[in-house]
Amino acid sequence: MKICVLPGDGIGPEIVAEAVRVLGALDLGVEMEEALLGGCAVDATGNPYPEATQKLAQAADAVLLGAVGGPKWDKNVREQRPESGLLGIRKQLGLFANLRPAILYPELANASTLKPEVVAGLDILIVRELTGDIYFGQPRGIEMRNGERFGLNTMHYTESEIRRILRVAFEAARKRNRKLCSVDKMNVLECTQLWRDVAIETGREYPDVELSHMLVDNAAMQLVKNPKQFDVVVTGNMFGDILSDEASMLTGSIGMLPSASLDANNKGLYEPSHGSAPDIAGKGVANPLATILSVAMMLRYTFANEAAAGRIEAAVKKVLAQGFRTGDIFEPGMKKVGTREMGDAVLAAL
Ligand code: IPM
Ligand code: MG
């Protein structure tokens, strides 16, 4: 088991350090090697996804990533922004299937801004297509047309790109409550009309899964109105970016949510759903649980080690039950801890 570790920027190094300790403690004989991705890579090499990182990531079975980005690099030309490194590694490794679970831990029910009865027991999975759509479509750019600046991006999908992500979503639904909601904007966008057509066709291969369709604006509304109507949601790259942030906040704390980005052979990149949080970087207060839970997803999806994945998840549940809380999920009466102490608590629970 070869794992490429990319701590990244901001709180990335702090939270990844805890996840690495947890992985090490499981004694699975993993080989871990670190490399640069994001702003730190731009600073060191001028490239957010340097050659050396590419080699390591391509040779590894899985990649563990902290987070990339920060105000320091926001004014860089696009090719030298941390985000370009992230998009580059997703595209190069063919990580088209992004799984973003949103689970509300009962211990954290008060962390949500929604009424407890709306979110209690929430367990949904957003399946986001990750290597196509307007994110990667050509032509793109800002140019002069008729004496004024003109901004251009292109949304496109091939039917095979749509079919393969739909299959991932149907398979995931089969392992859950057998309900899949496909989200599009077919009333306006041809590209997503094709999405719906292919979703319906693919659905014929999965008669045991109940397929529904929803327009993205309505989906955004339904997610806050009645989120528990959803089991698995599948959508394109752009809509998935937005809806997955919304879904994560139903749980009150984006600091708890892991994610997996998989290729066709279950090679994967695992990262917390949250960003690099530059405002709290270096202070030792960030919540490492999303990254630790990302390691559990890695063990489940890439290494097919359900037992080890379950051990990590059980340990996280236990530390929550014991009252350990980082600042983002803190409530009066609980034990406030920093990044390292939270890591210690998980290790003890393991
Ligand atoms: C995410 C992030 C990225 C995305 C950014 C950082 C490029 O928002 O993983 O959701 O838009 O995909
Ligand atoms: Mg996003």
Side-chain angles (χ1 to χ4, degrees), residues 83 86-87 90 100 128 130 135 237 241 244-245 271:
E83 293 77 9
L86 184 56
L87 297 176
R90 286 175 179 169
R100 297 191 163 180
R128 169 191 177 194
L130 203 59
Y135 267 57
N237 204 345
D241 178 45
S244 62
D245 262 30
E271 57 176 320

Side-chain angles (χ1 to χ4, degrees), residues 166 169-170 173 178-184 195-214 232-234:
L166 259 298
F170 274 112
R178 295 175 183 263
K179 273 173 59 182
L180 177 62
C181 179
S182 170
V183 172
D184 60 47
W195 181 283
R196 183 168 301 201
D197 294 346
V198 174
I200 292 169
E201 290 159 25
T202 311
R204 296 195 190 111
E205 298 167 29
Y206 298 88
D208 51 320
V209 176
E210 182 196 311
L211 172 67
S212 62
H213 307 273
M214 205 177 269
V232 180
V233 173
V234 63

Side-chain angles (χ1 to χ4, degrees), residues 10-284:
I11 58 171
E14 300 160 58
I15 54 180
V16 163
E18 300 314 311
V20 163
R21 287 168 76 208
V22 168
L23 188 53
L26 290 172
D27 250 338
L28 299 169
V30 296
E31 234 177 82
M32 294 186 251
E33 209 171 324
E34 270 194 27
L36 299 172
L37 183 82
C40 58
V42 173
D43 288 347
T45 72
N47 178 353
Y49 185 31
E51 248 355 80
T53 306
Q54 297 184 26
K55 283 217 181 83
L56 210 60
Q58 285 172 308
D61 301 302
V63 178
L64 177 65
L65 169 65
V68 301
K72 181 174 175 197
W73 305 281
D74 276 352
K75 295 213 169 70
N76 286 15
V77 294
R78 197 155 290 277
E79 307 74 62
Q80 290 183 7
R81 285 194 199 163
E83 293 77 9
S84 301
L86 184 56
L87 297 176
I89 192 172
R90 286 175 179 169
K91 190 72 175 175
Q92 184 190 60
L93 300 184
L95 308 172
F96 68 93
N98 183 210
L99 311 185
R100 297 191 163 180
I103 293 169
L104 185 81
Y105 291 85
E107 293 83 1
L108 301 180
N110 292 325
S112 180
T113 50
L114 275 77
K115 294 195 190 90
E117 64 267 28
V118 175
V119 289
L122 183 82
D123 178 355
I124 61 186
L125 175 67
I126 307 246
V127 178
R128 169 191 177 194
E129 200 289 328
L130 203 59
T131 52
D133 203 350
I134 195 166
Y135 267 57
F136 293 94
Q138 296 286 350
R140 63 191 298 157
I142 302 174
E143 54 195 63
M144 289 303 287
R145 286 201 192 174
N146 304 322
E148 64 173 347
R149 283 174 300 166
F150 178 88
L152 169 70
N153 285 95
T154 308
M155 180 179 228
H156 60 60
Y157 267 122
T158 61
E159 61 175 311
S160 52
E161 283 176 311
I162 302 170
R163 202 169 294 118
R164 69 178 177 176
I165 191 69
L166 259 298
R167 289 206 172 114
V168 168
F170 274 112
E171 296 291 341
R174 264 191 179 160
K175 296 193 188 120
R176 297 170 46 102
N177 294 324
R178 295 175 183 263
K179 273 173 59 182
L180 177 62
C181 179
S182 170
V183 172
D184 60 47
K185 187 70 186 172
M186 61 78 85
N187 53 347
V188 179
L189 303 171
E190 287 83 356
C191 177
T192 76
Q193 172 70 59
L194 179 66
W195 181 283
R196 183 168 301 201
D197 294 346
V198 174
I200 292 169
E201 290 159 25
T202 311
R204 296 195 190 111
E205 298 167 29
Y206 298 88
D208 51 320
V209 176
E210 182 196 311
L211 172 67
S212 62
H213 307 273
M214 205 177 269
L215 298 173
V216 64
D217 49 350
N218 185 30
M221 186 174 76
Q222 295 297 331
L223 263 177
V224 286
K225 189 177 173 212
N226 178 18
K228 283 189 272 180
Q229 71 186 283
F230 298 107
D231 177 23
V232 180
V233 173
V234 63
T235 190
N237 204 345
M238 180 81 258
F239 298 159
D241 178 45
I242 299 167
L243 293 182
S244 62
D245 262 30
E246 188 187 6
S248 73
M249 259 303 129
L250 300 174
T251 71
S253 55
I254 199 167
M256 293 297 301
L257 300 177
S259 79
S261 306
L262 306 174
D263 76 358
N265 305 309
N266 287 334
K267 172 170 178 164
L269 180 149
Y270 299 84
E271 57 176 320
S273 284
H274 59 72
S276 60
D279 52 320
I280 57 166
K283 296 186 178 152

